[in-house]
Every structure is written in C-alpha cells, then in structure tokens.
C-alpha cells in the first residue's frame, strides 16, 4: 500500500511539476512576445509616403515623444542620395517618363466605360516616396473657397474655407511672398513659370478678348478667369512632399521609414486597431501601434486596404471570404474624378516644344538641368490656365510624342455629376481593385463637355492667336454638330488623374460616410484615413494642394491642437452654383416672381435664387433657378432631365427694394434640371453689362401670374412625374 501510495505520490508530484513548468513556459513565451511586440511598436503607423503621408510624418514627429513608422510600398525618390541621378522624377520637364513606369507607379486601369465607347482608362498613381506628388504635373491649385464651405454644410464640420485656408498657408512658401491668401514660411515651395512663352501670353490675351477676366491669383480672391498658374517647383526642381516634408524629418530619432513595404492588412482586437501586417522582401511581418494607424494610401489604396481588413460593405466582404470587422457600406463608393479632353491647333511658327524632342536638343536641355537646374528642363510648361466652369492648361499628359508644331488646351468640367465606385476583385492584396468611375453617365456632364469644346474653340479663334493659328488638329473642322462633338468626347476624353472621395468624410449618421470630421474611421477605434479619399466631394481643380492641406489640418487634430481659423476672408462669388450659399446672400436686389405649386394647386410664395451669367460667347445668358424642394418628386436625386421651350418670362422689381426699374423680359430656350437646381438658357432684351456675372436674389410672390413653370414642365416633360418645383 505504502509503496503504491508512494508511487502515486511521486507520479502526482511529477505531474504537478510538468504543469508548473508548462505554465512558466507559457508565461515566459507570452512575456517574450509582449517584449517583442513592444520593441516592434510605435505610437503611430502611417501607411503610404505620398502627398498626405509625408506631411503627417513630419508634423507628428515634431513632438520628440511621439514615435512614428512610415510604410511605403514603392522605392525612394533618390538614388545614392542624389536627385540628379533620379532626374526622371526631379526634372520638371521629364514628368511624362514615369507615367508608364511600373517601378514608381501603381499602373491602374478602370473598367470599360460604357458611356465612352467601352474604352478602358489608364490611371497612374504614385508608388514612390512623395506618391503622386512625385509623378504629377506640379500644378498647385487649391480649388474654390465654396468647395470647402460645401464640405462643411454636407457634414464635414470644421472643414469650411475659414478653417482650411490657414492650413493652405501653413504649408506654403510662395515665391511672391505672403499675403491674405498665400503662405510665406511653409515647407512647400510654390512658384510661377519663368518661360514667358509667347503661346502662354497669347492664350491669356485671347481669353480676355473672348470676354473672360484676368485673375492675378487663381488661388486667392478670385479663382474665376485666366492667369498664370502656381507650380510646386523650387529652384528648377520638382518640389514633392518627399522634398518638402519627408527629407527634413528623416534624421529625427523618433522617426522610422520603410520602403518597398506592402501593407496587406490592418490588425484588430475586436474593433480596436492595434497594428498592420506587411510584406517586405517576400517575408510577412507585423508591426503594432499603441495609439493609431493612419491610412494615407490615396483614393484607391486606402479603401482597398480597409476592405481587405474587413471594413466595408458586409455582403461584398462575405462573398470574398473576408471576416467582417465593421459594416461600412460607404467604403469605395462616391468615387469622383475629373475628365478632360484636348483641343489642338497646328502652330504656324516653330516656337512649340516640338523641337525639344530632337535628340541633340534633349541632350542639351538635360545637361543644362543636371548642371544648374535651369533651362527648358526646369519647368513643366504648364504655366497658364483658367477656370470658367472648365480647366484649360497648355500641355499634354505626354504619353504620345507630338509629330508637329502645335499647341493645345486641356479642358473639362470641374464639378462632374458622374459618380463611380471601386470594389475588391479578390481577397489577394496584390490584385488591383475593380475601378468604375462611371464617366459621362449624366446628361449634364455631356452638355458641359460640349460647351468646353465650344468655348476653347472660341478662345483659339481670337485675334491673339492669329499669327500662330494653323488648322485645327483635334477635334478637327469636320466636327461641328453637337452629335459630332459628343462622339469626339466619347472617343478622346481622358482622366485628369484626380481620383477622390472614396472614404467620404461626414457625420456618423450618414450611411455613406467612412470617416468623421476628426478623420477617424466610423465604427472602429484607433484608425484614421487622411488623404484625398476623405473629400466629401471633388474640388474645383487639381488635388495635390488640397491633399496636403488635409494632412496639415489632420495633424493638428491628431495632436489635439485647436484648429486654425481665419474669419471673413473675402472671395469672389461669381458663377457659383451652390444652392445653400446663394440662399444665404442678402446683399443683392430682391424681385417678385410668380409661383404655382402643383401639389397644392395654389399660388405660393417661395424663395427662389437666380444666378445670372452673362455669356458673351454665344450671345445668350444662363440662369440658375433654385428653390426649396426643387428636386422632382419621385425622381432619383442623381437624375438629370431636360426640356425645350419658347416661352416668355418676365418679372417686376419690388418697388420697396433697390434694383433696376425696368421690367426685364426673357425667352426661355432650354431648361436642364439636375439635383436641387435647374440651368435655364434664355435670350434677353436687356443691354449686356460688361462683367462676367451678377447674383440676383428673387422672392416668389402671389402678386403676379406671369409664368406657370409647373405647366411648362408638365407639358414638355420627357416622362411623367409629380413636382412641387417652381
């Protein structure tokens, strides 16, 4: 018994010893793992060293207590520390070389576009230090002030113009010096063109001859008009965010940066973000963030990574076998881009860049730039442009070399109503997502593009171009009718490479929003998105400057600093099409105009806003009528309707208000209705004043029964629908 008992005791003791050793091993292993994770942990992990990521890395490491890891899928933008050895990136005139180089470029393509003759569009995006700021055309355009006010009204609280302007200025050092709109002490150097080329001068002169104003700063008080463009070029070199923000911070002891590192997944504990998984040199690794992970991969990569990590539309993720962390259906939706077309004219004088393509001249230009960063290689030659509800600029994307002396204008709508989406093709991070921009899917976009071609032809027909003007190359003199112009646009329009809005900023109550106004991803913890994807809507211009501004502002939010603000900075309101802004204006004359509410069958009183656009090109004026509830009842909000009329409209000013004393009479020719507004083409008997536009506030009245808009719409509509619109 005792022996047996002793044996049992020994066995029991041995078993307990094994359990204790196993527990100690587990504790030791867990402790070792925790130590390893702590050693492999940072306060902030930033995914993407592009236009936003470089800004964030610089600003967050200004605090020596904050440790930051920046992960970039592409290589450095220098070779052996030299910009000269990477001249394809840093020489401004060499910008086209990397547009088709997969070494520095994600090389995306869209789906076949059904409204553009089933063409597949090419979308280059930067995959290198500096991101697309290392590949772009270096145009510095902020957009219109009202773009940001619209953001604020649509849920991005704190992102209106008075809260964004200070961050544009904080980022910038403009060579012309600081003023109410320009910055003078920021890391991003901005300059004006130095060539003073005769074709640029002719372009600006011709625009004024066509009746458009000259603006001395399209990033200042008045965007509308034509003028000299700002560029992110400094001392003859491309001034990307890698040059402006990344290199000055690279030596900080609290900053680490990894290149050629593809982030494949965001790591979560429940809904709390704890780090990322990445692949480098074929090895899969993890790194942890004890504060936040910030996605700055851009409008394609950021939503792609969110979806790969389980954040997106739950139904779509389940189909691909991706575990759902958070159902957020707005991820990848709301995709917006600028589309543009080139109108080309043969030049009768040998003054274009055609001769620069000859081998000996290319060598000469290259050697001068390599020696002292000057000459024709020191500019992108995109030095003049304008905004008149379009965006001209004299240069090409350059993927096809020119074959003759010629000049051209890029032109396209800045506020397109066509909206697309992107989705995962598979759960493999190496598979490019499905990109569907849905170009030219609305009647309004087609109409505006048609007008773009016509206005460009009108500018080229001015006296200023007489000594340079040869035959039209594109679209060609054989393209004249609206139908022919539309066909040309479908065949030749191309992306301006401005994808945005796929992780829309808004209120958590907005089912389409992905991040809140603090840039935090809705529904999870410790995860932000900071790049062009969070724009609620695309801005009126190029995206690099606004993306840098977004990152500057987000950096202050992340650091817990109060937002900068500049109140009451004036800007020009001409030709605005924003309903809510116009309704808030009280400084313009008020008029009485009749209304008839079909839903109630009675005369009514509504506030109606009218934008009167003096259009000297086509000897007509365009009016924008807006009223509360002006979207057609029963219609989709993105639907565009069109009507043709030959009816008279007139109104009489209120005797108690200041304004013209004559009754104005107009003939309505065409009404184009789109969400919450209607564009009306009319003829007028009034004398045309010599300015581009004026705003008039109208107030509907029961006093007169001059025109019954509802009856017009009912009689001329292409399809039935009830309406309460005036």
């Amino acid at each position: 018994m005792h022996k047996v008992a002793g044996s049992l005791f020994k066995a029991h003791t041995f078993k307990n010893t094994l359990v204790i050793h196993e527990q100690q091993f587990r504790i030791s292993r867990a402790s070792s793992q925790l130590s390893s994770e702590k050693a492999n942990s940072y306060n902030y992990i930033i995914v993407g060293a592009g236009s936003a990521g470089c800004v964030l890395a610089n600003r967050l490491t200004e605090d020596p207590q904050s440790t930051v890891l920046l992960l970039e899928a592409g290589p450095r933008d220098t070779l052996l520390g030299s910009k000269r050895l990477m001249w394809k990136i840093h020489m401004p005139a060499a910008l086209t070389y990397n547009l088709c180089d997969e070494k520095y470029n994600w090389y995306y393509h869209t789906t076949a576009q059904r409204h553009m003759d089933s063409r597949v569009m090419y979308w280059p995006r930067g995959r290198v230090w500096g991101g697309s700021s290392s590949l772009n055309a270096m145009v510095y355009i902020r957009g219109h002030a009202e773009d940001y006010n619209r953001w604020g009204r649509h849920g991005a609280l704190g992102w209106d113009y008075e809260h964004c302007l200070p961050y544009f200025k904080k980022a910038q050092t403009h060579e012309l010096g600081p003023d109410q709109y320009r910055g003078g002490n920021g890391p991003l150097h901005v300059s004006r063109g130095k060539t003073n080329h005769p074709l640029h001068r002719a372009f600006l002169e011709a625009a004024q001859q066509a009746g458009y104003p000259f603006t001395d700063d399209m990033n200042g008080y008045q965007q509308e008009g034509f003028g000299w463009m700002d560029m992110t070029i400094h001392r003859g070199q491309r001034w990307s965010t890698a040059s402006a923000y990344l290199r000055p911070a690279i030596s900080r002891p609290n900053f680490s940066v990894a290149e050629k590192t593809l982030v494949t997944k965001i790591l979560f504990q429940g809904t709390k973000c704890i780090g990322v998984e990445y692949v480098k040199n074929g090895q899969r690794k993890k790194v942890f963030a004890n504060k936040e992970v910030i996605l700055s991969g851009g409008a394609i990569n950021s939503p792609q990574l969110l979806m790969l990590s389980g954040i997106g539309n739950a139904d779509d993720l389940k189909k691909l076998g991706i575990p759902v962390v958070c159902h957020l259906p707005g991820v990848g939706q709301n995709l917006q881009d600028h589309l543009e077309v080139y109108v080309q004219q043969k030049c009768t004088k040998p003054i274009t860049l055609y001769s620069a393509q000859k081998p000996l001249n290319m060598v000469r230009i290259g050697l001068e730039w390599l020696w002292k960063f000057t000459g024709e290689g020191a500019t992108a030659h995109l030095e003049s442009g304008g905004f008149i509800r379009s965006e001209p600029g004299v240069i090409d994307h350059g993927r096809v070399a020119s074959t003759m002396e010629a000049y051209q204008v890029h032109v396209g709508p800045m506020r397109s109503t066509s909206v697309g989406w992107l989705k995962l093709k598979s759960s493999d991070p190496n598979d490019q997502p499905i990109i569907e921009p849905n170009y030219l899917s609305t009647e309004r976009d087609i109409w505006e593009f048609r007008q773009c071609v016509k206005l460009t032809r009108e500018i080229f027909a001015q006296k200023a171009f007489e000594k340079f003007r040869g035959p039209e190359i594109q679209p060609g003199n054989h393209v004249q009718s609206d139908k022919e112009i539309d066909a040309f646009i479908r065949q030749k329009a191309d992306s301006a490479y401005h994808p945005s809005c796929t992780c829309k900023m808004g209120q958590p109550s907005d089912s389409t929003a992905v991040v809140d106004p603090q840039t935090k991803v809705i529904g999870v913890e410790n995860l932000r998105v900071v790049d062009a994807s969070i724009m609620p809507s695309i801005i009126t211009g190029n995206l690099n400057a606004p993306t840098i501004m977004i990152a500057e502002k987000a950096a202050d939010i992340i650091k817990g600093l109060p937002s900068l603000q500049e109140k009451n900075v004036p800007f020009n309101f001409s030709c605005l099409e924003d309903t809510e802004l116009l309704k808030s204006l009280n400084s313009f004359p008020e008029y009485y105009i009749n209304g008839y509410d079909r839903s109630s069958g009675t005369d009514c009183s509504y506030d109606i806003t009218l934008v009167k656009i003096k259009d000297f090109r086509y000897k007509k004026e365009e009016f924008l009528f807006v009223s509360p509830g002006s979207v057609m009842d029963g219609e989709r909000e993105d639907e565009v309707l069109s009507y043709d009329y030959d009816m008279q409209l007139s109104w009489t000013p209120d005797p108690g208000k200041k304004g013209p004393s004559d009754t104005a009479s107009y003939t309505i020719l065409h009404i184009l209705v789109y969400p919450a507004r209607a564009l009306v083409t009319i003829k007028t008997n009034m004398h045309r004043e010599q300015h581009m536009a004026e705003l008039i506030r109208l107030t509907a009245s029961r006093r007169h029964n001059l025109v019954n808009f509802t009856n017009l719409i009912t009689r001329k509509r292409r399809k039935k629908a009830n309406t309460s619109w005036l």
Side-chain angles (χ1 to χ4, degrees), residues 50-120:
S51 297
C54 290
V55 176
L56 290 170
N58 182 295
R59 294 306 189 189
L60 294 180
T61 55
E62 288 175 337
D63 177 4
Q65 302 304 312
S66 292
T67 56
V68 175
L69 172 64
L70 177 63
L71 302 174
E72 168 55 41
R76 294 171 178 254
D77 66 333
T78 57
L79 182 61
L80 302 176
S82 170
K83 287 185 177 182
R84 283 183 169 89
L85 294 178
M86 289 285 275
W87 59 270
K88 287 184 179 181
I89 289 178
H90 296 284
M91 181 193 294
L95 67 98
T96 61
Y97 279 91
N98 292 316
L99 287 180
C100 296
D101 189 343
E102 293 185 69
K103 183 177 180 180
Y104 309 111
N105 185 348
W106 287 101
Y107 216 76
Y108 290 118
H109 290 83
T110 71
T111 61
Q113 294 301 285
R114 60 193 181 99
H115 302 291
M116 300 186 70
D117 294 348
S118 297
R119 293 166 55 211
V120 173

Side-chain angles (χ1 to χ4, degrees), residues 326-596:
C326 180
H327 172 59
L328 210 53
V331 176
Q333 300 299 303
N334 195 42
L335 173 60
Q336 299 177 38
D337 185 27
H338 289 138
L339 197 65
E340 63 187 13
V341 74
Y342 317 140
V343 178
Q344 300 171 331
Q345 199 92 27
K346 189 172 182 179
C347 186
T348 58
K349 295 183 180 295
I351 59 171
T352 73
L353 298 177
Y354 174 64
S355 62
Q357 297 177 123
K358 296 178 179 179
L360 288 178
N361 286 337
M362 291 179 72
V363 171
R364 175 186 56 79
I365 292 168
L367 289 175
E368 180 178 353
W369 184 86
L370 289 169
W371 180 31
K372 50 186 180 179
F373 297 135
T374 59
E376 291 182 86
T379 176
H381 300 277
L382 220 170
E383 299 183 1
S384 63
F387 289 87
I388 40 175
R389 287 182 293 150
S390 57
E391 188 201 21
V394 184
I395 196 66
D396 185 13
H397 290 189
R399 287 188 285 153
V400 178
S402 60
T403 57
M404 65 184 75
E405 298 278 356
Y407 50 89
Q408 69 180 16
V409 159
H410 285 199
V411 62
M414 288 287 96
R415 295 175 185 171
S416 170
T417 55
S418 297
V419 177
W421 49 265
L422 66 85
K423 294 183 179 181
L424 294 180
K425 184 182 297 182
S426 74
S427 59
D428 184 349
N430 294 300
D431 279 351
Q432 293 191 354
I434 301 168
I435 301 171
E436 174 51 84
N438 206 22
Y439 290 130
L440 293 181
S441 57
T442 68
E443 288 294 327
R444 180 190 172 195
D445 284 0
I446 295 169
W447 181 85
E448 286 192 348
F449 244 116
R450 197 184 301 145
Q451 301 306 104
C452 288
V453 172
K454 292 177 180 179
L455 73 86
T456 304
R457 281 175 159 174
E458 184 120 10
I459 291 172
F460 279 170
Q462 299 301 315
K463 184 178 180 181
F465 274 112
E466 277 185 356
K467 56 186 176 182
F468 307 115
R469 186 169 51 244
E472 184 178 272
I473 302 168
Q474 184 173 286
N477 291 329
H478 63 286
V479 176
Q480 294 297 330
S481 70
D482 287 353
K483 185 177 180 180
E484 290 167 340
I485 293 174
D486 292 348
F488 160 72
I489 291 164
R490 289 195 304 270
Q491 295 163 9
K492 296 296 183 180
D494 207 346
S495 171
Y497 309 151
H498 297 160
S500 58
C501 309
T502 49
C503 295
K504 174 186 171 184
M505 186 194 306
Q507 294 298 306
S509 58
D510 180 356
S511 62
T512 66
V514 177
V515 302
D516 65 16
Q518 303 300 306
T519 71
K520 294 180 179 179
V521 176
I522 297 168
V524 297
E525 301 173 62
N526 300 350
L527 179 62
R528 297 180 192 260
V529 181
V530 179
D531 54 33
S533 71
I534 71 171
M535 295 180 179
S537 55
I538 197 166
I539 62 97
T540 310
N542 302 57
L543 302 191
N544 188 240
T547 301
I548 293 169
M549 177 278 295
I550 287 171
E552 284 277 14
K553 182 168 169 56
D556 274 3
I557 293 172
I558 294 166
K559 291 192 286 187
L561 300 176
S563 176
L564 301 178
Q565 184 178 11
E566 292 188 23
K567 295 183 177 181
N568 303 318
V569 176
F571 63 90
N572 184 270
F573 289 94
S574 295
C575 298
L576 293 181
E577 295 185 8
D578 192 284
T579 306
E580 295 169 83
L581 170 73
L582 295 173
K583 279 195 259 185
S584 70
L585 296 177
N586 296 310
S587 58
F588 298 94
E590 292 186 351
Y591 291 83
Y592 286 109
I593 188 170
N594 85 299
Y596 183 82

Side-chain angles (χ1 to χ4, degrees), residues 594-612:
N594 85 299
Y596 183 82
D597 189 339
R598 184 183 175 195
S599 61
S600 64
T602 60
D603 289 344
C604 60
S605 179
Y606 279 150
D607 286 338
I608 300 179
T609 303
L610 173 71
V611 183
K612 183 165 64 176

Side-chain angles (χ1 to χ4, degrees), residues 34-56:
L34 287 172
S35 299
S36 175
E37 288 184 7
K38 187 173 181 181
N40 195 29
S41 178
Y42 299 81
N43 295 137
Y44 300 99
I45 298 173
I46 302 169
V47 180
S51 297
C54 290
V55 176
L56 290 170

Side-chain angles (χ1 to χ4, degrees), residues 8-24:
L8 287 172
F9 175 76
K10 289 178 182 178
H12 183 68
T13 303
F14 181 68
K15 184 177 180 181
N16 285 346
T17 303
L18 286 175
V19 170
I20 291 170
H21 286 170
E22 184 179 356
Q23 289 175 342
Q24 289 176 339

Side-chain angles (χ1 to χ4, degrees), residues 197-212:
H197 196 282
L199 284 173
H200 287 302
R201 295 198 305 269
F203 179 64
L204 297 181
E205 185 180 350
Q208 293 174 76
Q209 290 171 351
Y212 300 108

